Every structure is written in structure tokens, then in C-alpha cells.
Amino acid sequence: MAAGALAVVRLTRPLDRGWWLVAYLSLVGGVAQLMLGPGLLALARLRQAPSPTGPALFTRLVLWNVGTLLVAAANMARAMAGVVAGSVLLLAALALFTGDLRLLRAAASEAAPRWLRGYAFLLVFLAISVGVGTALAYRGR
């Protein structure tokens, strides 16, 4: 939602690196978040395993959102320490999601192993993306 509003603002007046911010909020704040939370719950249903509790999933998504917003704001302000701090929060959220995935793998049901691999790939891809994004932010400051 924030990315859509920002895109409209960006169309009406120039904003330094505005399109980067729109893309970042759309992909990291939107698409990735939808794949992480609901994806984990769907995997739990497929595996016929207990899903993460509401507070646990809420914690992971709060970490992801705060990290996303911190990286976005700090990058726009060219404040590298904020980018690093936000990146650490994103990686912490991914570590928690990885722990949840390990619990799902240990569940008794053998359903959907390729979906588990796909989710694991998503976590690795996002972790690498955080590292690359942080390096690019450092380079472009």
C-alpha cells in the first residue's frame, strides 16, 4: 500500500531515488512478506503439522516490516548505519523463519517436499538479497 501511494507521489513530483523506493517497498515490503508468512502457514497445512502460533508469526513479520522500513528510510537518507541495522532485523526474521521451516521438516507427514525446498530457496534468496542490497547501499552512499 505504501509503495502504491509513493508511486502516485513520485509521478507528481521528483523524488531522488523514488523509483528505487517504490520497487523496494513493493518487493520486500509486499511480495516477500506475502511469501514468507502465508507461505509458512500453507506449508504447515500441507505437512499436516502445527502452524506457528499467532504471536510467533506476528513477531517474525514485525521484524521483517521494521527492518524493511528502516532500510528504506536510512537508504533514502544515506545513513549507512540505519541500512545495516535494518538488514540485521531482516536477517533475524529470516533466521526465525528458517527455524520454523526446520520444525516443519521434522513433522511426521511427508507431503510436499518440493514446496519445502522452494520455501528454503526463498529464504536463501532473500538472505543473499539482503547482503547484496546492503553492499550496494554502502557503495552508493
Side-chain angles (χ1 to χ4, degrees), residues 22-114:
V22 169
Y24 177 80
L25 291 175
S26 297
L27 294 173
V28 178
V31 175
Q33 182 174 201
L34 287 174
M35 294 173 78
L36 287 169
L40 185 65
L41 293 175
L43 281 174
R45 267 182 253 128
L46 283 173
R47 301 278 296 179
Q48 299 172 350
S51 30
T53 63
L57 188 57
F58 180 76
T59 300
R60 286 142 180 73
L61 293 175
V62 166
L63 276 172
W64 187 261
N65 282 312
V66 171
T68 298
L69 293 175
L70 186 55
V71 167
N75 193 5
M76 294 302 286
R78 300 189 191 279
M80 195 58 204
V83 172
V84 171
S87 297
V88 167
L89 292 178
L90 292 171
L91 292 173
L94 290 173
L96 292 172
F97 279 114
T98 300
D100 293 334
L101 180 61
R102 286 186 180 154
L103 291 175
L104 287 177
R105 280 191 172 148
S109 172
E110 291 300 320
R114 77 171 165 235

Side-chain angles (χ1 to χ4, degrees), residues 104-129:
L104 287 177
R105 280 191 172 148
S109 172
E110 291 300 320
R114 77 171 165 235
W115 290 108
L116 290 172
R117 285 192 299 271
Y119 194 81
F121 176 79
L122 170 68
L123 295 174
V124 170
F125 175 79
L126 290 172
I128 291 169
S129 297

